[in-house]
């Protein structure tokens, strides 16, 4: 008789994730300087409703309560990011003690509750001065399209490693560099809001370089037990049909969404088809001798962030609308492919982001990355969904999210059964927070946040997830806790 529940391997890490700009607030406290997201969100028209991260979930002041939430839910791991401008204001030079003290105290509190911290060094909040430069003849800035930013990142990585290295074992360098490069500098729907396809490709390379230099800096500063990885958001790209033209569209998007990072990071090369597809945008002369040895650092794990698959075809003559889930806008985040590829809505129910629910994409990616990076353990470093949650009588009932999580955890289990070495799962997100260009309009949390009062209320999905985490077993059928 088949087991009633799906059992996860012993030691599987059950966690939840957040990011600094999305939850911390305290934007001008204790020496923190603005990041590109402060500048962007304060620019009229860039973020829905004019929302900013100035206060967010006020986590900078409520972190003890938030750690207690994690502990009450029985979660064993917490992935958070460090705010670069909080610990190294302006992105160069000396560290800010008070910023580092905040993260030290947070980590100590997590450890005191038996919660394993996973630190992400960069979740999109580049110090603004590294983008805009210093007025009056100081360093020029230029952001990720410039090589200096990668070098500054390595310095910053060393600072954080020096402060937290004695107590944190799990580290990721970058979160979703695709978004930083292609939404930040291509479509411009993310900070810093530039719309220059060549700059987006330069940014991608310098993010790859930053990952390599940062991983080296971590390795040099951390004890041998440290585990260093990176969190990518690979696209599960599917062709609309099996026609050669649609397969070619799939190849193009796979190159721009996935291989532009996995090539340099895992294989030490940019694939020839990527270079050829983008040749009219850039000659890639910014890739210097030796860079691709730096980008390919030994990885102790790979973080996979997954939400939804993408379906592509050769561009239809009518120029089909773009359903790539990346916020529309007049500019494409796909340099060299914009006029050649159409994006279609994948089948499936939609979340509040209009992202189709399809857990098979997660299973496919976990198996694909197992094949691409043999012997490298995987973590699902983000997965979750936004729904229009509303409190009723003091409770928040979110059965859609339970179904979403159930489907995706089943997919993780299936991938493990088929040979993927998945070591843990971090639900995105612990709590509702600032969802970038959508401001506070989209709620991804397992915990509801009332932004007026900052009151936190665990949703029914949080209780459901807590039970799964406590038992290490997923019921075969969804039943809400
Ligand atoms: O909120 C984001 C997160 O910051 C990065 N990954 C995707 C999430 C949902 O859009």
């Amino acid at each position: 008789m088949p087991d009633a529940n799906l059992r996860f391997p012993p030691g599987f890490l059950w966690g939840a994730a957040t990011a600094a700009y999305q939850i911390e607030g305290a934007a001008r406290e204790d020496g923190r300087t603005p990041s590109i997201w402060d500048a962007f969100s304060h620019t009229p028209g860039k973020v829905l409703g004019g929302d900013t991260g100035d206060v967010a979930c006020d986590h900078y002041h409520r972190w003890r309560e938030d750690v207690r939430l994690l502990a009450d839910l029985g979660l064993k791991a917490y992935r958070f990011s460090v705010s670069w401008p909080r610990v190294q204001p302006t992105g160069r030079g000396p560290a800010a003690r008070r910023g580092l003290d905040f993260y030290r105290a947070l980590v100590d509190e997590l450890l005191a509750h038996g919660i394993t911290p996973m630190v992400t060094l960069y979740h999109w909040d580049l110090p603004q001065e590294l983008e805009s430069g210093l007025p009056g003849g100081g360093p020029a800035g230029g952001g990720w399209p410039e090589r200096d930013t990668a070098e500054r990142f390595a310095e910053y990585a060393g600072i954080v490693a020096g402060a937290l290295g004695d107590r944190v074992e799990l580290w990721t360098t970058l979160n979703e560099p695709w978004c930083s490069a292609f939404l930040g500098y291509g479509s411009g729907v993310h900070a810093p809001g530039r719309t220059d396809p060549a700059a987006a490709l330069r940014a991608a390379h310098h993010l790859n370089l930053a990952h390599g230099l940062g991983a080296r800096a971590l390795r040099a500063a951390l004890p041998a037990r440290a585990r260093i990885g990176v969190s990518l958001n690979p696209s599960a790209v599917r062709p609309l049909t099996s026609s050669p033209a649609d397969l070619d569209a799939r190849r193009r998007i796979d190159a721009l969404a996935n291989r532009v990072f996995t090539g340099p990071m895992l294989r030490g090369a940019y694939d020839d088809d990527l270079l050829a597809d983008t040749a009219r945008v850039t000659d890639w002369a910014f890739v210097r001798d030796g860079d691709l040895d730096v980008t390919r650092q030994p990885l102790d794990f790979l973080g996979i962030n997954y939400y939804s698959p993408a379906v592509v075809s050769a561009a239809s003559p009518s120029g089909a609308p773009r359903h790539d889930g990346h916020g529309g806008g007049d500019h494409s985040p796909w340099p060299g492919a914009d006029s050649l590829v159409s994006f279609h809505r994948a089948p499936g129910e939609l979340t509040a982001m209009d992202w189709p629910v399809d857990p098979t994409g997660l299973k496919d990616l976990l198996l694909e990355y197992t094949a691409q990076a043999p012997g490298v353990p995987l973590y699902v470093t983000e997965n979750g969904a936004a729904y229009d949650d509303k409190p009723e009588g003091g409770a928040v009932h979110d059965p859609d999210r339970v179904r979403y999580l159930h489907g995706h955890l089943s997919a993780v289990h299936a991938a493990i059964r088929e040979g993927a070495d998945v070591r843990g799962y971090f639900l995105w997100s612990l709590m509702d927070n600032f969802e970038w260009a959508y401001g506070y309009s989209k709620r991804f949390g397992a915990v509801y946040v009332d932004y007026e009062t900052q009151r936190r209320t665990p949703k029914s999905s949080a209780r459901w997830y807590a039970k799964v985490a406590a038992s290490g077993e997923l019921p075969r059928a969804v039943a809400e806790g």
Side-chain angles (χ1 to χ4, degrees):
M1 200 175 104
D3 202 355
N5 291 337
L6 303 174
R7 198 164 294 146
F8 281 75
F12 189 85
L13 215 48
W14 297 93
T18 62
Y21 190 71
Q22 294 181 273
I23 66 164
E24 283 182 4
R28 281 175 278 279
E29 276 179 54
D30 291 344
R32 181 187 180 280
T33 56
S35 73
I36 54 174
W37 267 97
D38 294 88
F40 188 75
S41 65
H42 279 268
T43 307
K46 296 299 186 193
V47 173
L48 204 68
D51 290 345
T52 74
D54 285 3
V55 177
C57 305
D58 195 32
H59 171 75
Y60 192 71
H61 301 115
R62 294 167 193 265
W63 54 277
R64 280 185 205 280
E65 181 190 343
D66 293 336
V67 172
R68 226 170 21 244
L69 271 174
L70 284 161
D72 289 348
L73 293 172
L75 298 186
K76 289 283 172 277
Y78 177 52
R79 171 174 179 249
F80 65 93
S81 78
V82 171
S83 161
W84 187 348
R86 200 183 283 294
V87 305
Q88 192 190 29
T90 78
R92 55 182 87 239
R97 187 186 48 76
R98 281 180 299 177
L100 291 173
D101 284 348
F102 167 73
Y103 294 107
R104 278 197 201 96
L106 173 64
V107 167
D108 287 348
E109 189 77 359
L110 290 165
L111 295 174
H113 285 85
I115 299 168
T116 300
M118 179 186 275
V119 167
T120 300
L121 287 176
Y122 185 72
H123 198 126
W124 308 355
D125 43 0
L126 186 72
Q128 174 61 25
E129 278 186 19
L130 293 185
E131 174 65 30
S132 51
L134 264 183
W144 286 113
E146 299 307 321
R147 192 178 185 87
D148 182 58
T149 304
E151 284 160 7
R152 298 283 64 74
F153 177 77
E155 186 178 280
Y156 156 68
I159 289 174
V160 182
L164 303 180
D166 57 345
R167 49 201 105 175
V168 173
E169 283 187 22
L170 293 172
W171 296 79
T172 78
T173 52
L174 306 175
N175 181 71
E176 302 184 1
W178 186 87
C179 298
S180 301
F182 295 102
L183 301 182
Y185 296 90
S187 68
V189 299
H190 277 192
R194 284 163 61 182
T195 53
D196 173 349
L201 292 167
R202 289 175 67 98
H205 177 63
H206 294 127
L207 283 152
N208 283 323
L209 191 63
H211 159 75
L213 292 170
R216 269 191 185 167
L218 289 178
R219 213 52 93 193
L222 294 174
R225 64 174 189 279
R227 296 282 162 264
I228 298 168
V230 59
S231 285
L232 302 176
N233 57 324
S235 184
V237 205
R238 295 167 178 168
L240 184 65
T241 72
S242 53
S243 72
D246 289 358
L247 291 174
D248 196 54
R250 199 210 88 87
R251 176 196 61 70
R252 281 179 192 277
I253 296 305
D254 177 47
L256 283 168
N258 303 330
R259 288 184 281 121
V260 68
F261 298 107
T262 53
M265 288 183 188
L266 301 180
R267 299 183 289 281
Y270 287 108
D271 290 342
D272 290 342
D273 64 328
L274 169 69
L275 302 182
D277 289 349
T278 53
R280 68 186 167 83
V281 181
T282 179
D283 59 7
W284 293 81
F286 46 83
V287 181
R288 295 196 190 158
D289 284 353
D291 280 4
L292 293 166
D293 296 326
V294 175
T295 58
R296 186 185 46 187
Q297 293 299 310
L299 288 175
D300 300 315
F301 67 90
L302 246 178
I304 303 290
N305 295 358
Y306 172 81
Y307 291 86
S308 199
V311 176
V312 299
S313 70
S316 62
S318 59
R322 230 179 55 221
H323 287 298
D324 62 3
H326 296 298
D330 297 337
H331 298 271
S332 164
W334 306 106
D338 36 341
S339 57
L340 301 171
V341 175
S342 290
F343 284 81
H344 305 263
R345 217 188 266 298
E349 269 173 45
L350 299 179
T351 68
M353 297 293 284
D354 273 351
W355 294 348
V357 177
D358 184 346
T360 61
L362 179 55
K363 178 182 164 197
D364 293 349
L365 285 174
L366 293 171
L367 291 171
E368 191 183 318
Y369 279 79
T370 299
Q372 276 199 43
V376 178
L378 305 175
Y379 286 91
V380 176
T381 39
E382 283 183 27
N383 176 241
Y387 289 104
D388 293 326
D389 306 313
K390 301 213 170 34
E392 276 168 46
V396 183
H397 191 53
D398 58 341
D400 290 340
R401 184 172 289 99
V402 171
R403 269 199 305 282
Y404 181 99
L405 296 176
H406 184 272
H408 287 77
L409 284 168
S410 304
V412 174
H413 190 271
I416 294 173
R417 221 177 29 223
E418 291 182 32
D421 181 8
V422 188
R423 302 278 174 96
Y425 174 94
F426 292 81
L427 189 162
W428 184 269
S429 176
L430 171 63
M431 59 186 142
D432 296 335
N433 58 48
F434 177 81
E435 177 53 24
W436 308 112
Y438 296 89
Y440 297 100
S441 68
K442 305 292 178 200
R443 294 182 175 274
F444 273 91
V447 172
Y448 184 88
V449 177
D450 176 335
Y451 296 110
E452 294 294 308
T453 61
Q454 291 294 349
R455 193 184 149 85
R456 278 87 158 123
T457 306
K459 303 176 189 176
S460 45
S461 62
R463 287 195 298 274
W464 178 88
Y465 183 57
K467 274 192 196 161
V468 174
S471 62
E473 291 186 4
L474 185 69
R476 275 182 196 271
V478 189
E480 265 191 81

